[in-house]
Amino acid sequence: MGNTIATVVLAHGAWADESSWSKVVTLLQSKGIKAVTFRLPLSSLADDVAALDKALALLDGPVVLVGHAYAGAVIAATHSVKVRALVYIAALAPDEGETVADVFNRYGHDDKSPKIAPGDDGLIWLAPETFGIAFAQHASPAEQKALAAKQLPISPAAITVQVERPLWRDVPAWYLVAQHDHMIPEKTQRFMAERMNAHISAYPVDHIPSITAPELVESLIVDAVRYVDG
């Protein structure tokens, strides 16, 4: 793995930031794999894709693109020819003509899932207690408090626009199904993963395994990197 040429680019989801990938980045770097994070504005899907494309423009060579949750829609919307594989971590994958909200709500939610609605500022925030109940219930109390404090709200405009033909229809994909996810139900994740013919791995993890089970996330990414590097 020390001679790998593919760069891993990691896109965070809603209510998180790029630091949510820190443990995974450390694991990838220990294997000699270059990993890059960046911040999504979460103001609209177009703005988020523009931020991704800006990060990709700085890189040379092939890319393995990783997305968590909402960012699954973002990573599939780029037209960059550098992207050779997609990795979905409990991520949303709308098909052409669908919105993020469509797939998020496809099979409903369990009783631990938070109610998602804009606040007075027009943005969607999560209540602090959500991080311990539904978002990161396997994380330590300190990690849950940090996630709540650093959360980035998302605009409804990001999740209500229909997407174009997604990149997962043209490049291979890997999908980590989070079986204890109270934000995106396992049934919804499996539907999307099977629809894209992804290489599927399923584990009893929460919504943000990059923090609570980083070794599992790293392993899936390494599989995709190995595929790209041949």
Side-chain angles (χ1 to χ4, degrees):
M1 295 299 297
N3 296 322
T4 184
I5 58 171
T7 299
V8 175
V9 177
L10 303 114
H12 64 83
W15 310 300
D17 67 10
E18 62 272 32
S19 69
S20 62
W21 292 114
S22 295
K23 293 180 182 180
V24 175
V25 168
T26 298
L27 291 169
L28 292 170
Q29 290 176 339
S30 73
K31 285 186 166 63
I33 300 173
K34 183 180 178 181
V36 175
T37 63
F38 65 103
R39 177 163 291 200
L40 293 174
L42 303 178
S43 48
S44 71
L45 182 60
D47 289 347
D48 293 331
V49 176
L52 169 59
D53 286 340
K54 184 176 179 179
L56 294 174
L58 300 175
L59 303 174
D60 295 321
V63 167
V64 172
L65 199 47
V66 185
H68 171 244
Y70 159 73
V74 179
I75 65 174
T78 181
H79 296 293
S80 174
V81 297
K82 297 176 183 178
V83 180
R84 305 293 174 79
L86 300 173
V87 180
Y88 289 77
I89 308 301
L92 293 161
D95 201 352
E96 185 172 5
E98 294 177 339
T99 69
V100 171
D102 287 338
V103 287
F104 179 73
N105 293 313
R106 185 177 182 91
Y107 294 113
H109 299 274
D110 63 31
D111 57 3
K112 293 184 179 179
S113 181
K115 303 301 181 185
I116 304 296
D120 293 340
D121 60 359
L123 302 176
I124 304 171
W125 297 80
L126 291 184
E129 60 269 20
T130 299
F131 291 87
I133 297 171
F135 195 91
Q137 71 269 23
H138 295 173
S140 70
E143 287 172 328
Q144 292 166 0
K145 289 180 180 179
L147 283 165
K150 294 189 294 184
Q151 70 166 297
L152 299 177
I154 188 167
S155 168
I159 61 174
T160 55
V161 62
Q162 293 181 341
V163 305
E164 299 177 353
R165 177 184 173 89
L167 188 57
W168 52 259
R169 289 206 167 272
D170 301 304
V171 303
W174 281 253
Y175 199 112
L176 189 154
V177 174
Q179 295 170 306
H180 292 177
D181 193 332
H182 296 303
M183 298 294 295
I184 305 171
E186 178 184 3
K187 184 178 182 180
T188 302
Q189 293 183 39
R190 286 191 177 276
F191 163 76
M192 293 181 292
E194 291 169 1
R195 181 168 67 174
M196 69 172 72
N197 294 313
H199 304 268
I200 301 172
S201 297
Y203 301 104
V205 296
D206 63 12
H207 181 63
I208 192 157
S210 60
I211 288 176
T212 59
E215 295 85 359
L216 298 178
V217 175
E218 178 253 356
S219 178
L220 197 68
I221 295 171
V222 169
D223 286 347
V225 170
R226 285 179 173 149
Y227 172 87
V228 171
D229 288 348

